[in-house]
Amino acid sequence: MTTLDRSVFWPAFLSAGFLDTATITSGGITDDYDVGFSRPDQPRFDGRGRSTEYEIEYQAADLPSLAENDAVIIGGVTYRVREDPFVPEGGNAADGYFKRALLTKV
């Protein structure tokens, strides 16, 4: 059985324009990170679904201390992490390589 190398995804997503730059303050440190960003009513899955939340997906190793109330700025708009980030259930994502965080627009 071959192990899937998840480290190849983020550079590919970035070069394809699928990621946004977020300025995130977490654990007293402010820095820029590449994140997948979803917003309400944004088409997903080739138009077969819609996002209903402000949400980021990121590589867990990039932001190990991201927590509730941390500040996230994307496109000049400020958000707060609504609750502690989580690992999506099921499939290959359940190994914890990627995490998601729900956001509230400030």
Side-chain angles (χ1 to χ4, degrees):
M1 180 177 195
T2 304
T3 302
L4 181 63
D5 180 5
R6 285 169 180 64
S7 69
V8 301
F9 289 112
W10 230 238
F13 293 160
L14 181 61
S15 67
F18 293 147
L19 301 180
D20 290 280
T21 300
T23 302
I24 299 175
T25 301
S26 179
I29 298 171
T30 300
D31 208 347
D32 290 339
Y33 300 91
D34 296 315
V35 299
F37 179 53
S38 297
R39 33 204 162 293
D41 291 329
Q42 176 185 20
R44 299 179 81 183
F45 312 113
D46 289 332
R48 292 180 292 226
R50 294 211 171 264
S51 175
T52 60
E53 303 275 0
Y54 291 106
E55 177 181 51
I56 58 171
E57 183 172 24
Y58 61 95
Q59 296 178 110
D62 288 349
L63 288 157
S65 65
L66 189 67
E68 184 177 356
N69 292 320
D70 284 348
V72 177
I73 300 171
I74 301 172
V77 179
T78 302
Y79 304 87
R80 289 267 176 218
V81 176
R82 186 182 323 160
E83 57 190 51
D84 285 338
F86 60 96
V87 175
E89 291 184 23
N92 291 327
D95 67 1
Y97 192 89
F98 299 106
K99 280 191 166 183
R100 292 185 183 169
L102 297 176
L103 308 175
T104 299
K105 191 175 182 180
V106 178

